[in-house]
């Protein structure tokens, strides 16, 4: 094993919790700013739109206001966006022991990389906000291939950048269908980040399961001892 590739959201970052807390702050600010809805109802309606348009949608608050009020009131919109950004910046942190584990993996001579469905700039900003940009040899995002996992194109792009064979790489991700199945299709070994998993496995099995990211160190020790 010569490299480890990671998904980003819910594998290195507790992304979903950050998203929920930030949206709660945005909804509260919009209601305080004049939105005539109950906060619980507004939060539910907002996440229904995320289900339709995707969790990375950059115009979600505008779409929400248009759908629920018939117009986009910039006074209300600006309050929501400002509250969201403030909460997001304060909350965005890696999972426990991510940094120490990445340091230990680098010390073992392993190459490290990211394969994320996030747009390029957003992925890099998240890494920068957590102080993790310098750990990774390659970062593949949606901008690189235009395809979401489990398409094989993002995984093949990482292989090309690393100049390694699939069997020399362990892929770590929280989503069985997108991360584990996608990596397996191109021949990579896989580890499921159970600590961040929110989607069912539907019979998809990884080579390893992680209760914490630090479990990677034991796996690598076992692999390198073979």
């Amino acid at each position: 094993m010569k490299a480890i590739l990671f998904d980003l959201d819910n594998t290195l970052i507790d992304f979903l919790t950050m998203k929920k807390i930030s949206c709660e702050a945005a909804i509260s600010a919009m209601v305080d700013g004049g939105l005539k809805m109950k906060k619980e109802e507004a939060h539910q309606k907002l996440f229904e739109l995320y289900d339709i348009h995707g969790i990375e949608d950059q115009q979600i608050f505008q779409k929400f206001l248009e759908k629920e009020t018939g117009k986009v009131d910039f006074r209300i919109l600006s309050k929501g966006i400002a509250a969201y950004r403030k909460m997001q910046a304060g909350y965005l942190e890696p999972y426990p022991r991510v940094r120490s584990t990445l340091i230990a993996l680098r010390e073992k001579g392993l190459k490290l990389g990211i394969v994320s469905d996030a747009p390029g700039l957003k992925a890099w900003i998240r890494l920068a906000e957590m102080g993790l940009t310098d750990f990774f040899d390659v970062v593949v995002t949606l901008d690189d291939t235009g395809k979401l996992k489990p398409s094989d194109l993002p995984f093949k792009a990482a292989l090309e950048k690393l100049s390694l064979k699939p069997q020399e790489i362990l892929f770590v991700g929280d989503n069985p269908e997108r991360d584990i199945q996608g990596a397996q299709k191109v021949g990579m070994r896989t580890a499921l980040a159970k600590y961040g998993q929110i989607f069912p496995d539907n019979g998809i099995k990884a080579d390893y399961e992680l209760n914490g990211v630090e479990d990677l160190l034991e796996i690598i020790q076992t692999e390198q001892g073979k």
Side-chain angles (χ1 to χ4, degrees):
M1 191 176 296
K2 297 181 179 179
I4 298 181
L5 293 173
F6 295 88
D7 173 51
L8 183 55
D9 298 333
N10 292 324
T11 299
L12 296 179
I13 306 169
D14 190 355
F15 177 78
L16 189 60
T17 299
M18 179 275 292
K19 176 67 73 171
K20 288 180 177 178
I21 291 174
S22 299
C23 286
E24 286 173 359
I27 291 295
S28 292
M30 286 192 284
V31 169
D32 291 344
L35 176 64
K36 304 300 184 184
M37 293 181 71
K38 292 183 178 180
K39 293 179 182 179
E40 296 79 7
E41 179 188 6
H43 192 267
Q44 179 182 341
K45 295 291 186 181
L46 178 64
F47 271 83
E48 288 175 358
L49 286 179
Y50 271 129
D51 288 340
I52 295 171
H53 299 287
I55 203 68
E56 297 282 1
D57 193 300
Q58 299 300 294
Q59 301 292 316
I60 199 69
F61 293 139
Q62 289 92 321
K63 292 173 181 175
F64 167 76
L65 290 173
E66 181 69 37
K67 183 175 185 296
E68 299 301 326
T69 69
K71 64 177 182 179
V72 178
D73 185 320
F74 288 136
R75 182 187 298 274
I76 295 174
L77 175 63
S78 62
K79 288 179 178 293
I81 292 175
Y84 180 95
R85 289 178 174 175
K86 184 176 181 180
M87 183 61 70
Q88 181 188 45
Y91 185 84
L92 194 63
E93 293 287 342
Y95 279 109
R97 293 173 290 281
V98 162
R99 185 181 300 277
S100 61
T101 299
L102 294 177
I103 291 172
L105 293 173
R106 295 287 282 183
E107 289 175 345
K108 291 180 179 293
L110 290 158
K111 292 184 177 181
L112 303 178
I114 298 285
V115 179
S116 173
D117 285 340
L121 182 58
K122 291 180 72 67
W124 278 107
I125 288 174
R126 288 172 195 160
L127 289 171
E129 287 177 338
M130 296 187 299
L132 299 180
T133 54
D134 294 336
F135 282 104
F136 299 102
D137 300 282
V138 299
V139 175
V140 176
T141 69
L142 179 61
D143 294 356
D144 292 294
T145 66
K147 296 293 184 180
L148 299 172
K149 296 173 288 184
S151 168
D152 59 0
L153 292 182
F155 299 98
K156 287 181 176 179
L159 284 171
E160 183 176 351
K161 290 185 178 184
L162 287 168
S163 298
L164 293 175
K165 300 175 182 178
Q167 59 269 28
E168 296 175 320
I169 295 174
L170 178 69
F171 191 89
V172 182
D174 66 285
N175 189 316
E177 181 178 349
R178 289 193 174 189
D179 296 321
I180 303 306
Q181 185 172 255
Q184 289 173 342
K185 284 197 304 184
V186 299
M188 295 179 185
R189 284 176 284 177
T190 57
L192 178 63
K194 294 286 289 184
Y195 55 87
Q197 182 184 0
I198 59 174
F199 297 102
D201 58 42
N202 293 325
I204 300 168
K205 299 299 181 183
D207 297 292
Y208 302 97
E209 292 186 350
L210 309 176
N211 293 316
V213 69
E214 69 276 10
D215 291 349
L216 280 171
L217 300 179
E218 183 176 347
I219 293 171
I220 296 304
Q221 184 175 355
T222 300
E223 287 290 336
Q224 292 184 335
K226 290 181 179 179

